[in-house]
Amino acid sequence: MTTTVYSHVPEIRYEGPDSRNPLAFRWYDAGRVVLGKTLAEQLRPAVCYWHTFVWGGQDPFALGGNLFERPWFSGEPMAAARLKLDAAFDFFGRLGLPYWCFHDRDVAPEGASLRESNANLDAILEVAARKMQDGGPKLLWGTANLFSHPRYMSGAATNPDPEVYAYAAAQVKHALEWTQRLGGANYVLWGGREGYETLLNTQLRRELDQYGRFLAAVVEHKHRIGFGGTILIEPKPQEPTKHQYDYDVATVYGFLARYGLEDEVRVNIEVNHATLSGHSFEHEVATACALGIFGSIDANRGDEQLGWDTDQFPNNHVSLVPAMLELIRHGGFTTGGMNFDAKVRRQSIDPQDQLEAHVGGIDTLARAYLAAAALYESGELERVLTERYAGWDGALGQRILGGATLDDLAQTVQQQGLDPRQRSGRQERLENIVNRHV
Ligand code: XUL
Ligand code: CO
């Protein structure tokens, strides 16, 4: 292994809650068994390539290049991509999380033609494949960047120009095939430019049909090549586009059902996208579980004061317990996991800041999961839920769900003299129970 900007950091290990070492886990004891599996298997955490190794600390007000200094931010692009890959796998090894995620353009530069871009990607991912075999992390998901290049300014699949659609299709085909080759557990589509800036120049119906056809083509290709992973859509209401078609989980479900894809595609729910759409994160997880499309999670957080997609590392375990409880009730992940779609603040310029951010993030997830698991195992909330809905398992509830008509029910009320009384929802008692476990 060549020396990288992370080489001075020893391998990060679990030292327990009392440790003061900024480069040790306090809660993430990867091998600890919780609810029948290790914490690593329950959380399936991943490092994302883009924020961690590609973003240079720019913001819209900073003129010029990168604020962070990394050796791979300059020089011949393919040589730089190789340096970046070496550094990334060094980082993965020191942190020891089981997965990573990437966009095609994160790992290799865009070339002068699609052929050249594909060749660049092939060259770098050949090396990545070897590093993965040599003890590197597994791939949680791959994806294609269909939002940075100017050709995608008016959308990829939803572009008014079918040539852009075709270009995006070609790019996804290559990224999907590489995701399969690297043993990826999922393939993600995030539609940052799939939406509109103004309805004055947009035919909404047409764009939705284009998007539906695009997604169906991705699913067809998945089956053609025998990719065993899950296709995931990542909802987000806006930013960069004013209105994005994948607004939230419920909107995505409606879209999938309209195009007959609800059994083929699931969602990758991002915490900060959930809050941007006006929902809580736990609402989005619960909705996806209820609709049978829960897939994976992009772990991060927003900032209540700012209100845009700040992509900060999770640092408040209490706020994540309700979503972890939903995950546990659902039976946990199948192919999904928890990808840190999170970046350090731009003044955190040292390479080590990236590692400390991940340590804090994974500890936050682990602590939230442990609390939710203890809450779940205590049965205190689950008993209340069972009692609250018990009537629906009884004769009347079953008769209603079996298809009782309004006439049937009007008769029942009169014949049996039904006069239901309201019962307390006991919200504060339940909140107190949760607080006892965090
Ligand atoms: C953007 C975002 C993306 C997706 C992958 O807000 O979350 O990074 O996760 O394209
Ligand atoms: Co994301």
Side-chain angles (χ1 to χ4, degrees):
M1 174 56 81
T2 45
T3 305
T4 79
V5 295
Y6 307 112
S7 296
H8 65 286
V9 174
E11 267 183 42
I12 296 171
R13 296 182 200 288
Y14 172 74
E15 290 183 3
D18 295 332
S19 171
R20 293 289 172 270
N21 178 357
L23 288 163
F25 298 120
R26 275 173 285 283
W27 299 93
Y28 179 64
D29 182 4
R32 174 169 170 189
V33 175
V34 191
L35 299 174
K37 285 187 194 168
T38 65
L39 259 183
E41 289 166 333
Q42 295 288 18
L43 299 175
R44 297 167 61 84
V47 176
C48 86
Y49 212 87
W50 51 103
H51 289 317
T52 317
F53 310 111
V54 183
W55 183 61
Q58 311 91 337
D59 74 15
F61 298 93
L63 285 179
N66 298 310
L67 184 60
F68 303 166
E69 286 170 20
R70 302 288 188 265
W72 56 89
F73 282 171
S74 57
E76 190 278 316
M78 282 299 281
R82 287 177 206 284
L83 269 185
K84 181 167 57 172
L85 192 79
D86 279 345
F89 274 80
D90 191 17
F91 183 101
F92 298 153
R94 284 166 210 286
L95 189 63
L97 298 192
Y99 291 96
W100 69 298
C101 298
F102 71 93
H103 298 87
D104 49 3
R105 300 297 176 254
D106 300 337
V107 286
E110 174 114 16
S113 63
L114 182 71
R115 187 187 300 274
E116 198 180 304
S117 299
N118 285 351
N120 288 349
L121 191 66
D122 296 347
I124 300 295
L125 289 181
E126 292 289 351
V127 184
R130 281 199 295 279
K131 288 180 184 288
M132 288 171 72
Q133 261 161 15
D134 291 347
K138 291 179 282 185
L139 183 64
L140 185 62
W141 47 264
T143 186
N145 180 331
L146 306 179
F147 47 86
S148 294
H149 193 281
R151 79 173 64 86
Y152 296 125
M153 73 174 193
S154 310
T158 61
N159 200 288
D161 180 354
E163 289 188 10
V164 178
Y165 178 113
Y167 206 101
Q171 207 182 313
V172 168
K173 170 179 147 68
H174 203 65
L176 178 58
E177 288 172 3
W178 260 111
T179 300
Q180 175 185 36
R181 164 124 191 251
L182 296 174
N186 308 273
Y187 182 84
V188 165
L189 292 131
W190 169 62
R193 307 273 177 200
E194 313 291 19
Y196 62 81
E197 292 299 328
T198 171
L199 284 172
L200 294 176
N201 65 12
T202 303
Q203 287 191 333
L204 208 138
R205 169 70 193 264
R206 212 189 253 280
E207 294 202 356
L208 288 175
D209 284 350
Q210 289 170 217
Y211 204 8
R213 177 57 211 143
F214 192 87
L215 197 53
V218 173
V219 169
E220 284 161 22
H221 196 69
K222 159 191 159 154
H223 291 303
R224 187 165 308 132
I225 64 177
F227 175 56
T230 310
I231 305 289
L232 301 172
I233 286 234
E234 183 173 321
K236 186 175 182 184
Q238 68 274 128
E239 198 207 14
T241 309
K242 171 191 155 69
H243 178 94
Q244 278 155 221
Y245 295 134
D246 304 334
Y247 199 94
D248 61 3
V249 169
T251 309
V252 168
Y253 182 79
F255 172 82
L256 294 177
R258 174 169 173 83
Y259 295 99
L261 295 167
E262 70 274 27
D263 295 331
E264 291 282 1
V265 178
R266 297 182 180 191
V267 282
N268 181 39
I269 302 172
E270 179 162 323
V271 183
N272 203 170
H273 297 181
T275 47
L276 270 178
S277 71
H279 300 300
S280 65
F281 173 49
E282 58 268 28
H283 167 88
E284 289 291 82
V285 173
T287 303
C289 293
L291 294 171
I293 56 165
F294 177 75
S296 200
I297 284 173
D298 269 10
N300 61 17
R301 79 185 147 99
D303 181 312
E304 281 175 29
Q305 205 177 321
L306 299 178
W308 65 80
D309 195 14
T310 59
D311 284 338
Q312 285 163 259
F313 278 85
N315 74 348
N316 179 344
H317 76 281
V318 178
S319 70
L320 290 171
V321 170
M324 291 293 192
L325 185 62
E326 294 300 330
L327 175 68
I328 290 169
R329 285 172 168 166
H330 184 66
F333 289 115
T334 49
T335 60
M338 293 193 170
N339 165 48
F340 285 109
D341 195 347
K343 56 181 191 262
V344 295
R345 297 307 85 191
R346 62 195 295 275
Q347 293 174 52
S348 303
I349 58 175
D350 293 341
Q352 183 170 324
D353 291 323
Q354 298 279 11
L355 282 156
E356 294 188 25
H358 281 83
V359 166
I362 187 64
D363 266 344
T364 301
L365 297 187
R367 196 170 177 189
Y369 189 86
L370 290 169
L375 181 60
Y376 180 76
E377 279 186 313
S378 79
E380 291 174 78
L381 291 185
E382 310 314 297
R383 265 195 301 279
V384 174
L385 270 183
T386 311
E387 275 167 31
R388 189 155 193 246
Y389 290 91
W392 287 95
D393 297 326
L396 177 60
Q398 289 302 300
R399 195 150 66 74
I400 293 173
L401 294 177
T405 64
L406 298 189
D407 282 337
D408 294 338
L409 295 172
Q411 235 177 25
T412 302
V413 172
Q414 281 182 8
Q415 277 172 1
Q416 298 184 10
L418 297 187
D419 182 17
R421 293 298 152 104
Q422 50 274 44
R423 278 179 292 173
S424 171
R426 303 212 186 289
Q427 181 168 337
E428 293 71 21
R429 181 190 292 182
L430 302 181
E431 287 169 348
N432 295 347
I433 292 174
V434 173
N435 275 349
R436 250 197 302 114
H437 285 88
V438 300

